[in-house]
């Protein structure tokens, strides 16, 4: 049976249920700064982006100037809340363990935050030495740019066309597709919303799963079929 060269997992909202935690804090900070937005709206519209990019987009949309100091405040508050509240997404450990191909993580979060979260939920050994943050790569370009995915493939010596990416956000899928990779959408986290699967499909996911139990059969089925065939 054909095997992928690499399976890349996003972290927030894919392996750990952290996206909704960050969205609640970030939405409150933006609302207090003068632009009212709910955690649900923030997650639906901006999931997968760095908070810096979220602020830039909100500022452009609202024409309300937002202080750069919000970034450091959000980082501090989110880190604190994640340390106490972050949880693994049900079934993630079993699904990751069952992947026989090499595994990696590509995230827009800081590498130290990713490592902390994965260590807390006992996933770090699966990805040690293969964790890539868009904030740390040479270009510093985060998703939706493809750079972090391209960099991971180069560092690990794999063919992007034979790499699968698991993503929960439109922005992440956009980046992975631009890197020439195949994408499986995931909607099993707490921030998922009505129409989430459709949005991921429209962004370029070949298929969308809601439960981790579906992952390995999905990879196997898609590996049998290639867009180049």
């Amino acid at each position: 049976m054909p095997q992928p060269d690499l399976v890349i997992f996003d972290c927030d909202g894919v392996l750990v249920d952290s996206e909704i935690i960050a969205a609640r804090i970030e939405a409150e900070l933006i609302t207090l700064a003068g632009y009212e937005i709910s955690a649900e709206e923030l997650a639906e519209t901006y999931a997968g982006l760095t908070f810096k990019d979220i602020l830039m987009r909100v500022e452009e949309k609202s024409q309300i100037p937002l202080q750069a100091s919000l970034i450091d405040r959000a980082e501090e508050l989110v880190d604190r809340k994640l340390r106490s509240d972050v949880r693994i997404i049900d079934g993630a450990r079993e699904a990751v363990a069952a992947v026989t191909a090499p595994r990696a993580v590509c995230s827009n979060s800081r590498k130290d935050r990713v490592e902390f979260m994965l260590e807390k939920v006992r996933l770090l050994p699966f990805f040690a030495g293969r964790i890539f943050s868009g904030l740390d790569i040479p270009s510093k370009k985060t998703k939706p740019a493809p750079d972090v995915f391209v960099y991971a493939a180069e560092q690990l010596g794999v063919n992007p066309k034979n790499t699968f990416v698991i993503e929960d956000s439109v922005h992440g899928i956009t980046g992975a597709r631009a890197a020439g990779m195949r994408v499986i959408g995931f909607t099993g986290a707490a921030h998922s919303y009505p129409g989430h699967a459709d949005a991921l499909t429209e962004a370029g996911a070949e298929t969308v799963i809601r439960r981790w139990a579906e992952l390995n059969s999905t990879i196997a089925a898609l590996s049998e079929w290639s867009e180049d065939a």
Side-chain angles (χ1 to χ4, degrees), residues 9-86:
F9 295 81
D10 180 37
C11 182
D12 297 285
V14 171
L15 296 172
V16 294
D17 218 348
S18 53
E19 199 73 62
I20 192 64
I21 293 173
R24 286 168 180 156
I25 291 170
E26 292 165 359
E28 183 176 358
L29 288 173
I30 293 172
T31 297
L32 290 171
Y35 180 76
E36 188 169 344
I37 186 170
S38 67
E40 291 73 22
E41 182 185 353
L42 188 144
E44 180 174 343
T45 308
Y46 302 114
L49 296 177
T50 64
F51 189 50
K52 178 182 178 181
D53 285 341
I54 293 172
L55 289 181
M56 290 172 62
R57 294 190 183 204
V58 168
E59 197 170 58
E60 183 179 351
K61 178 180 179 180
S62 67
Q63 298 300 302
I64 296 172
L66 299 170
Q67 298 296 319
S69 60
L70 287 176
I71 298 171
D72 288 340
R73 182 63 175 153
E75 288 290 295
E76 176 189 348
L77 293 174
V78 171
D79 276 346
R80 186 185 307 164
K81 194 67 172 171
L82 289 173
R83 288 189 177 279
S84 61
D85 289 7
V86 75

Side-chain angles (χ1 to χ4, degrees), residues 2-192:
Q3 282 287 321
D5 291 350
L6 179 68
V7 178
I8 295 175
F9 295 81
D10 180 37
C11 182
D12 297 285
V14 171
L15 296 172
V16 294
D17 218 348
S18 53
E19 199 73 62
I20 192 64
I21 293 173
R24 286 168 180 156
I25 291 170
E26 292 165 359
E28 183 176 358
L29 288 173
I30 293 172
T31 297
L32 290 171
Y35 180 76
E36 188 169 344
I37 186 170
S38 67
E40 291 73 22
E41 182 185 353
L42 188 144
E44 180 174 343
T45 308
Y46 302 114
L49 296 177
T50 64
F51 189 50
K52 178 182 178 181
D53 285 341
I54 293 172
L55 289 181
M56 290 172 62
R57 294 190 183 204
V58 168
E59 197 170 58
E60 183 179 351
K61 178 180 179 180
S62 67
Q63 298 300 302
I64 296 172
L66 299 170
Q67 298 296 319
S69 60
L70 287 176
I71 298 171
D72 288 340
R73 182 63 175 153
E75 288 290 295
E76 176 189 348
L77 293 174
V78 171
D79 276 346
R80 186 185 307 164
K81 194 67 172 171
L82 289 173
R83 288 189 177 279
S84 61
D85 289 7
V86 75
R87 299 289 184 270
I88 194 169
I89 293 177
D90 286 347
R93 185 178 298 106
E94 294 79 4
V96 169
V99 171
T100 55
R103 317 171 192 89
V105 168
C106 286
S107 177
N108 271 358
S109 286
R110 302 186 325 269
K111 187 177 179 181
D112 67 299
R113 177 184 285 175
V114 173
E115 289 177 340
F116 156 73
M117 291 190 293
L118 295 182
E119 183 175 28
K120 182 175 171 65
V121 301
R122 297 188 291 117
L123 284 175
L124 188 58
F126 293 110
F127 301 104
R130 297 185 303 279
I131 295 172
F132 302 92
S133 167
L135 298 168
D136 296 333
I137 60 175
S139 73
K140 307 293 186 187
K141 291 183 179 178
T142 53
K143 307 172 194 177
D147 297 42
V148 69
F149 297 111
V150 173
Y151 183 78
E154 289 174 347
Q155 293 297 302
L156 299 173
V158 301
N159 182 359
K161 289 185 177 180
N162 198 32
T163 296
F164 282 97
V165 178
I166 321 300
E167 273 283 356
D168 67 304
S169 75
V170 166
H171 303 293
I173 288 173
T174 300
R177 291 291 293 167
M181 296 176 178
R182 305 180 68 179
V183 189
I184 298 169
F186 181 75
T187 61
H191 71 287
S192 192

